[in-house]
Amino acid sequence: VKSFPSCDYYISVCQFLHNRTLWPSFIHSSRKLVILNGVENDYLSDIEPYDLGEGFKTGRCHRMVSGKFHVDSLPWMNRRILPKIPSFQHIIIGSSEEAKSYCKKFSWLKYFGLIADRQRKMSIIKSLDAYFYETFSDEGASIAILEALSLGIPVLTKPLGGCGELVIEGVNGFICKDRQIYQLRLEQLFYNKNFKENIMKKCIEDFNNRLHVKYTACKYIQLFEHIKSKEVNA
């Protein structure tokens, strides 16, 4: 932040990052704003869900770095989730040689690797019943989470960083403090069809009312207009 001493305003993409930032004393509180990240979903209605076959499908799509992915989640799913959800499938989009190697061991695991085609990527995510976003370190307003929510896919994630600003418990997903809670929520979604359908309905409604990029863009435009008016009146 010290590298940008002459900015009119300093924008954080979520409240967590705003609170975590070490603000220099020369930045007055009136120059510090939070504008929550958003993404669009207007084009997604024309995309058909990818054919992953029958079954209860979970998945994730992001950079497979240590702060967001531990490969031991896969044998855990094999031990704990598969016996409870026999039709279970888990989809991984991202680059992880360790995850790829487990595909040879587990028939329920599908590894797509990196996908450059955005429509194909969103088509796969659209076919999921739940988005499994187990993380291990703080982050901001995750685009990976937003992409899933934009499709009405409920997100299961940990209470780290800005995740709790995107995921509202019982509305568009669940905050899971440990894997026992992850398992409980997955079983709820699998065994109670009405429960899952209700969550997915609320998920897309919440996205359209709160997280669509039009709200983010509107706030930036208002800020730009405010800055411009100050310049004109100076």
Side-chain angles (χ1 to χ4, degrees), residues 5-171:
S6 60
C7 291
D8 293 287
Y9 289 92
Y10 297 80
I11 312 299
S12 301
V13 298
C14 65
Q15 191 65 48
F16 168 78
L17 290 180
H18 176 86
N19 296 341
R20 178 61 65 89
T21 301
L22 299 175
W23 296 101
S25 59
F26 66 81
I27 302 177
H28 190 268
S29 59
S30 63
R31 296 165 65 199
K32 298 181 289 187
L33 301 175
V34 176
I35 299 180
L36 191 62
N37 268 348
V39 298
E40 65 172 321
N41 69 348
D42 304 322
Y43 68 101
L44 296 176
S45 60
D46 296 329
I47 297 177
E48 292 295 324
Y50 193 90
D51 185 7
L52 294 170
E54 299 297 324
F56 182 80
K57 297 172 282 293
T58 68
R60 57 197 306 165
C61 171
H62 54 81
R63 292 188 304 121
M64 296 294 161
V65 295
S66 60
K68 298 183 180 183
F69 172 73
H70 286 184
V71 74
D72 69 344
S73 62
L74 302 179
W76 168 77
M77 288 177 175
N78 195 61
R79 292 193 312 270
R80 303 299 303 231
I81 306 301
L82 190 62
K84 298 291 185 178
I85 307 177
S87 64
F88 178 72
Q89 290 187 53
H90 188 61
I91 315 303
I92 292 179
I93 303 174
S95 179
S96 169
E97 289 301 316
E98 287 184 294
K100 185 178 180 181
S101 68
Y102 271 98
C103 288
K104 301 174 183 178
K105 302 178 182 180
F106 304 141
S107 60
W108 50 265
L109 178 64
K110 290 182 172 60
Y111 174 83
F112 282 88
L114 295 174
I115 296 179
D117 186 323
R118 181 174 180 78
Q119 292 214 348
R120 181 167 181 253
K121 179 187 76 171
M122 298 305 284
S123 172
I124 296 170
I125 299 174
K126 194 173 189 177
S127 70
L128 303 179
D129 296 289
Y131 194 85
F132 185 89
Y133 196 66
E134 183 186 36
T135 57
F136 302 91
S137 62
D138 292 324
E139 61 179 308
S142 167
I143 297 299
I145 289 179
L146 284 165
E147 286 182 334
L149 297 177
S150 73
L151 289 158
I153 308 300
V155 174
L156 282 64
T157 189
K158 283 189 175 181
L160 296 173
C163 294
E165 296 175 53
L166 301 176
V167 177
I168 301 174
E169 180 75 14
V171 175

